[in-house]
Amino acid sequence: MKTVSSLSALFLAGVLAACGNGKDEPAPDAPAPPAESDVSAGEWQESIASLQALAGEAFSLEDQLEADLQPINDALPDLLSISWDDKSLDPTSGATVFTGLKVTIATEPEFGIQAEEAELWGLNTDLVSARLRGERLDETGLAFNRLEARNVSYFGVANAFNTLFDAMEESIEDDSGTDVDFGFDTFESNTAEMVLSNVSLRPYELVPISDTFFEDLVPDEEISDEDREEMAVATEAVRLAQQVVAVVRTLSVESGASYDSKATFVMDQPGMKQSVDVSWDFSGYENMSGFDIGRVVMVNTRQAQTMEFTNENGEFDELNLEDVEFDQLETTAYMAYKDFRLDKLAGFLARAEFPGMDERDLMSLGSWEARDYKLRFNDGDVFEVDHAEFSADQFAWFFPEAISLDMTGAQLDIQEVGEVVLAFIPEEAVEEMAEGDGTDEAEASGEDMKESLRTAISKLEETGLDTLPFDIAVNWRWGADTGETALSFDSSSEGFGTGAFSVDVTLPDYARAQAAFESEDKETAFEEAFEEAFAFRGARFFESDDGGYDKLFAYASVIGKLYPQEGWGATLGGMEPQQMRTFIATMIRAGKQPAAQEFPPAVDWIESVAQYYEASGGSIELKSAPPTPVTVEYFDALDPDVAPEQIVEDLGLSVTHTPE
């Protein structure tokens, strides 16, 4: 049980680290706007008030003795130790107060985590030390009631990583013959205050995979001696992963919080020096049980990243990045992650079992929410979102029943993106664009081309294409009991237009899928289940123009005027937006004559599409709404000589143009 003891001991450090158509037809419906979250922008603060107040609680326990950490220290493996400068009992609160508390991992060099001051209530020394010795593995019990710590930080991490990097560098140099040098200059972190409440230990479950686990997956005659060696290494790696999973599953935290956290990383890599600064005002979590998370929230997060390209050994010769400025800043006012459930699945892994399809309620990836997110590159705001939410919290076994993404108040600065991309275009690519041949004259031509591209990017603002505001909603639904499946995408952009796409089909339901999975010939069974169950129930494409095409065509005209010496430039530059619309419509109508011979119903559809592009505004809808679902059997039985009109009727096809 020594490995169990070693892994379990990491709990003590991990607890602290966790802190750190037709005109006569009705106009088709425009897509509905994405739904807002149940928690409005002004309410999320209230939703986390109890977590934020955790540190302000005046906690106390009566009849407490001074916490004795020595039995726990004795049970720890030699690699780990707990130390402190001073320890005393606060008789008023019942807390044992530590100064200079450290958890040290005694590698060479050593590293760990420390707190300037910590208060601990209700330590269950007997249970914790017994668990570290590999005893009382079936019990559930409280490890301690509460831990408060101030000025929590890592120490020695940079040196520890650099020792590891040194070994990696030697291996790389031996294999490639190339000198490499990378490592941390700085690895610092600090959390002003953190609190953990009601930390418990759950039963420990572990059944290591067998020695022949991987060999049993392959016929014996196909396994070479080299394969067996690789399988042995893989077996040990999986067993270690199982042990880590088993230890994490024993931990349960009712609630926790950290306040004013900061971290700085500065790392040298071949050809580049990178620095990252991360901070958040508050983070909190509750109802964490193994790999299940009730909720995690973070307030005012900030991540700044800077890269300086040194190119000392020619690592980026083709990119020519020595003078490139790369400063990235991401900020988010509020993030939340909730209802994440993987502990049941993790239990199967720890026990070397595979969950059968009778385990329908197996997992959830939860839901994630962010508010007031901004991304900045160098001095320009590139992307921002008022509110974004992603959900994948409904699963039947491993099959997702519902996945959704909603984004409102988003804005992409196309001009800034263009500037960033232009900065990273390799010189060789610029020369090729200028049809250069590597001579000095060609290089000058390449620079001219790059300046032309920069001018083209600057013209985006002139035509209103510099920024793109948008809302989007993406939804996937699969009825596990019915097999009815729907995928939809809706978008809207003020000053540009709206769009929607959806498709509805029937797929095998859960019972069919389970029968196929449990059959001997799974591949054949799944193919048969799909053919028997599949039905096409409809599809729709919708688009409305609210100025987007006018902006796009105006920009095309401006760009054409920049390159009058080019054939395409002379063509585009000589047309105004309405002339471009007429030209596109004419090109579309050119398909009417061949369509009349091959598929007559398409003539009216082509005209509808041409009218949509010819006039500003309005909408176009392409739709398939079969009177009855269309199955695989329908397509298999389709007569090659069937009239096209019959197919149109069977599939319920229509194209509708609605003028503005």
Side-chain angles (χ1 to χ4, degrees), residues 209 214 230-244 349:
I209 62 171
F214 289 103
E230 293 178 355
M231 288 177 177
V233 173
T235 298
E236 292 304 313
V238 172
R239 285 175 175 169
L240 178 59
Q242 283 185 282
Q243 293 165 10
V244 173
L349 174 60

Side-chain angles (χ1 to χ4, degrees), residues 334-350:
Y334 169 73
M335 286 193 295
Y337 197 24
K338 61 183 180 180
D339 299 331
F340 181 88
R341 292 185 292 105
L342 284 182
D343 193 65
K344 188 175 183 179
L345 176 61
F348 283 96
L349 174 60

Side-chain angles (χ1 to χ4, degrees), residues 184-203:
F184 279 107
D185 287 349
T186 304
F187 192 116
E188 299 175 348
S189 71
N190 181 266
T191 293
E193 186 171 9
M194 53 83 61
V195 181
L196 292 170
S197 178
N198 291 332
V199 176
S200 299
L201 296 179
R202 305 161 66 212

Side-chain angles (χ1 to χ4, degrees), residues 33-36 371 384-388 406-410 470-472:
E36 259 291 359
R371 292 190 175 274
E384 60 183 62
V385 182
D386 289 343
H387 175 238
D406 292 275
M407 196 177 294
T408 58
F470 64 93
D471 299 341
I472 62 171

